[in-house]
Amino acid sequence: MFPKKTIRFLKELSSNNNRDWFALNKTRYEDEVRTPALNFIDAMEPSVKRLSPYIDCTAKKVGGALMRVHRDTRFGKDKTPYKTNIGIQFRHVRGKDVHCPGYYVHIEPGEVFFGAGIWKPDSANVKAIRTLIDEHPREWRALKKKVFGKSDFEFSGESLKRAPKGFSPEHSEIEDLRRKDFIAVLNLPVSAIHQEDFPARIAAHMKTTAPLMKFLCEANDLMF
């Protein structure tokens, strides 16, 4: 699916993360990184739309599922101008940024993973998720069994050290109520991206994690 040149380019970019080098290698970036990523997104569209018509799967250079290569250096310590990974987010159509329910594919040298859920939701959204867990603990436990019971998915993200305000420290689901992020993550071999069945494998992982996505969307009054 992705050529082996993709990882090679990302490795070289990591060692030459400057505007002059990128300008000289812009054609390579287009051919070896962006075009294969857009082709992957196109290949995913039928499966995504069968799963949910409310998940965006737009293959375009700007404003679609492919995240921009330029790094936002305003707030972080890392001032290098380019990301050295490929980030693809199939987010909910009502989402305005990365902090909404969605599926994510991450590709970089030495690390490929798939994620499903919501990363760093704002205070209103995280409270809505915690409230739904609090009100429906049986349903929450059942979906966790479906998603995590017979797979290698694991919860990822940050958690509060104490029970969030308004929730009992003795709650049966306190470990999950303390979460700041609600993301199921599955690590994949780097070699998986070179296989023709990579889109089908990602589609299967989307289906496995659909109960979590549906729950998170319901908590935030979103259709799934």
Side-chain angles (χ1 to χ4, degrees):
M1 188 67 215
F2 285 85
K4 292 186 177 180
K5 290 180 179 180
T6 300
I7 295 296
R8 190 181 309 151
F9 181 91
L10 295 174
K11 285 181 178 179
E12 291 183 32
L13 176 58
S14 183
S15 300
N16 302 277
N17 201 331
N18 61 78
R19 290 180 175 82
D20 289 341
W21 185 89
F22 193 84
L24 289 172
N25 290 272
K26 184 68 179 295
T27 299
R28 286 183 61 208
Y29 168 73
E30 292 290 344
D31 294 342
E32 300 171 12
V33 178
R34 183 143 67 178
T35 295
L38 293 176
N39 290 340
F40 167 73
I41 294 168
D42 268 333
M44 288 299 305
E45 185 173 16
S47 297
V48 171
K49 293 308 178 184
R50 280 195 299 270
L51 183 65
S52 171
Y54 301 100
I55 300 299
D56 186 32
C57 188
T58 304
K60 59 181 182 180
K61 292 183 177 180
V62 179
L66 179 61
M67 301 176 78
R68 64 199 302 264
V69 67
H70 297 87
R71 188 190 302 279
D72 187 346
T73 60
R74 293 174 298 171
F75 308 111
K77 293 181 179 180
D78 188 347
K79 299 302 180 182
T80 53
Y82 304 106
K83 298 173 186 174
T84 56
N85 67 275
I86 299 171
I88 297 169
Q89 188 191 31
F90 303 102
R91 70 181 66 161
H92 197 280
V93 292
R94 286 181 56 187
K96 296 180 180 179
D97 54 32
V98 295
H99 308 290
C100 69
Y103 295 105
Y104 178 71
V105 177
H106 181 96
I107 298 171
E108 70 174 305
E111 183 178 34
V112 172
F113 66 84
F114 167 82
I118 188 167
W119 178 69
K120 298 191 183 304
D122 63 27
S123 57
N125 287 345
V126 75
K127 183 177 181 180
I129 295 167
R130 290 169 177 160
T131 298
L132 195 60
I133 294 173
D134 177 47
E135 293 176 348
H136 300 278
R138 287 186 180 180
E139 289 84 346
W140 176 249
R141 288 193 294 270
L143 84 79
K144 286 208 303 179
K145 187 174 181 180
K146 287 181 180 179
V147 174
F148 302 99
K150 295 182 180 180
S151 73
D152 292 324
F153 277 99
E154 295 181 350
F155 261 127
S156 180
E158 298 180 358
S159 294
L160 298 170
K161 293 182 178 180
R162 299 181 177 83
K165 184 178 180 181
F167 298 92
S168 170
E170 307 303 321
H171 196 288
S172 62
E173 310 307 310
I174 191 57
E175 181 179 352
D176 292 326
L177 291 173
R178 290 192 295 108
R179 295 189 186 281
K180 296 181 181 181
D181 310 297
F182 295 84
I183 311 168
V185 171
L186 179 67
N187 291 311
L188 302 169
V190 175
S191 60
I193 71 169
H194 305 310
Q195 307 301 316
E196 288 303 313
D197 69 345
F198 186 56
R201 292 179 66 176
I202 295 300
H205 297 324
M206 287 182 169
K207 188 174 181 180
T208 297
T209 52
L212 174 62
M213 284 288 293
K214 184 177 180 181
F215 188 94
L216 297 174
C217 287
E218 181 181 344
N220 289 282
D221 296 322
L222 299 173
M223 300 291 290
F224 180 75

